[in-house]
Amino acid sequence: MNEDFSRTLALLRQEKDISQRKAAKDLGVSQALLSHYENGIREPGLAFVRRACDYYHVSADYLLGRTLSRDGGMIGAEELYDSSNERGTLKGSIAATLQKKLIVNTTNLLFELLGQTGSREAVGAAGSYLSGALYQLYRALHRRSGEKDAYFSLGGEAFTGGAVDMQMHAARVAYIQALSHPAEESAFPNMDSEALSAGYPGLMQSVTQVLHVTEEQTNHLLDQK
């Protein structure tokens, strides 16, 4: 069983906001055995995988880390449409265009550097965290435009109550843990700002801008208290 399985199994339980003891009871195993599964110490049998999929309402492919789609839809990296160099078809204000470029460039560099660590767990957790942020922004706009929440499988009350915030928090925890326990063969990239500016001059301009604005806004909020 791959490492994605144990990480996903633990994240799903955290997302459901239940204790390991309760999950183990519901899944028909001991808490110690579930702990071994979640930490990758032991591999479960097919019967447990099937029960876990039913319990967390996800596909086996999702649980095994073979797809990002919970219902099992397989999307390969080579199949994804890349709009990074889109010209003319994405219309928006100058401000929207600038913000898009800043975020896209910063995200590109982040995943370029994460890829160098060799940690699939860190890459997956980062994607999960950022996807949660995009989900919230997209759904808020969708709702404000008068569209029905029926388009989404996550209930409206759960969304309003911060369920996606919980998912993002779990992803952030997983991200920090993954970076704290890298694979032996991994090599963390040189994060010196001068080295990055030399290696990625265009992208680092965006990163610097994003970091500066975020810190400026955060410090402003702190100063108001």
Side-chain angles (χ1 to χ4, degrees):
M1 201 72 67
N2 59 37
E3 295 179 355
D4 288 331
F5 171 81
S6 57
R7 178 182 63 82
T8 303
L9 186 65
L11 284 176
L12 286 171
R13 179 178 59 77
Q14 294 167 18
E15 179 182 289
K16 201 175 177 72
D17 196 24
I18 58 175
S19 67
Q20 198 174 68
R21 176 177 305 218
K22 173 171 173 51
K25 180 180 179 180
D26 292 344
L27 290 167
V29 297
S30 68
Q31 182 179 350
L33 184 56
L34 179 59
S35 176
H36 286 168
Y37 290 162
E38 290 188 354
N39 288 288
I41 299 174
R42 294 184 58 180
E43 294 187 356
L46 181 60
F48 176 83
V49 174
R50 185 164 51 243
R51 290 198 303 273
C53 289
D54 292 339
Y55 185 63
Y56 291 119
H57 306 294
V58 298
S59 69
D61 281 327
Y62 179 83
L63 194 57
L64 294 173
R66 299 182 64 243
T67 176
L68 296 177
S69 174
R70 296 194 176 211
D71 62 7
M74 298 295 291
I75 303 177
E78 70 281 356
E79 300 176 83
L80 289 174
Y81 177 69
D82 186 359
S83 65
S84 300
N85 298 315
E86 192 71 59
R87 292 291 185 274
T89 59
L90 295 179
K91 303 297 184 181
S93 67
I94 295 177
T97 300
L98 173 60
Q99 288 296 328
K100 182 194 74 172
K101 288 183 177 180
L102 289 173
I103 296 302
V104 168
N105 288 345
T106 302
T107 302
N108 283 345
L109 183 54
L110 172 66
F111 281 99
E112 167 70 21
L113 297 173
L114 283 175
Q116 295 177 31
T117 69
S119 175
R120 294 181 60 188
E121 293 79 10
V123 171
S128 181
Y129 182 86
L130 293 174
S131 293
L134 292 172
Y135 178 96
Q136 296 204 65
L137 297 175
Y138 183 90
R139 184 160 180 175
L141 179 60
H142 186 275
R143 176 181 282 183
R144 184 62 183 83
S145 298
E147 297 296 330
K148 303 297 183 182
D149 271 348
Y151 175 78
F152 303 93
S153 61
L154 179 66
E157 290 185 356
F159 171 66
T160 303
V164 181
D165 289 322
M166 179 174 63
Q167 173 266 319
M168 292 176 64
H169 179 73
R172 184 171 180 270
V173 171
Y175 179 74
I176 299 300
Q177 290 178 332
L179 292 180
S180 300
H181 302 90
E184 292 184 3
E185 67 276 11
S186 68
F188 280 97
N190 182 358
M191 296 295 292
D192 177 75
S193 59
E194 291 186 5
L196 289 176
S197 294
Y200 309 94
L203 294 180
M204 272 304 292
Q205 287 182 341
S206 295
V207 172
T208 301
Q209 179 71 5
V210 168
L211 297 180
H212 171 73
V213 170
T214 300
E215 289 186 335
E216 187 177 61
Q217 293 173 344
T218 303
N219 285 327
H220 177 68
L221 290 173
L222 292 174
D223 290 340
Q224 289 183 326
K225 293 184 178 181

